[in-house]
Amino acid sequence: SLGETGCLLTVTYADRRVTVSGQSADEARIKVYTLSGQAVATTPQRVRGDFVCVDLSYRQPGVYIVQATDKNGHTTSKKFAVK
């Protein structure tokens, strides 16, 4: 994770899904970008308590970066490959 110290969120990727978890995850701002900087997802699709899932099963294979910003403005990022 390319996280900033103090961020309340954790970003994970598995099974073509990004999960953002942590305190107030339901208030997080989440963006997914291609390596060229094009935003491909900005809205979480499912919120369940302390985690948010973004489904990327419809995305083309490639490398993406997810950026999550917590309610205090701290940001964490993670790079992952969709296969």
Side-chain angles (χ1 to χ4, degrees):
S1 210
L2 311 167
E4 178 183 298
T5 303
C7 188
L8 303 174
L9 304 171
T10 301
V11 177
T12 56
Y13 175 76
D15 300 324
R16 297 178 70 95
R17 227 177 345 170
V18 170
T19 302
V20 177
S21 58
Q23 184 180 353
S24 302
D26 59 336
E27 297 177 37
R29 293 188 313 270
I30 301 166
K31 296 179 182 178
V32 180
Y33 299 94
T34 63
L35 281 183
S36 64
Q38 178 186 7
V40 295
T42 57
T43 305
Q45 296 179 350
R46 289 185 299 183
V47 177
R48 292 185 179 171
D50 289 339
F51 69 93
V52 178
C53 291
V54 180
D55 180 11
L56 296 175
S57 61
Y58 60 94
R59 287 280 140 218
Q60 294 291 327
V63 178
Y64 295 86
I65 297 172
V66 63
Q67 180 181 56
T69 305
D70 68 19
K71 65 181 182 178
N72 297 322
H74 298 107
T75 299
T76 188
S77 300
K78 185 173 183 86
K79 184 165 58 171
F80 60 92
V82 172
K83 297 181 180 182

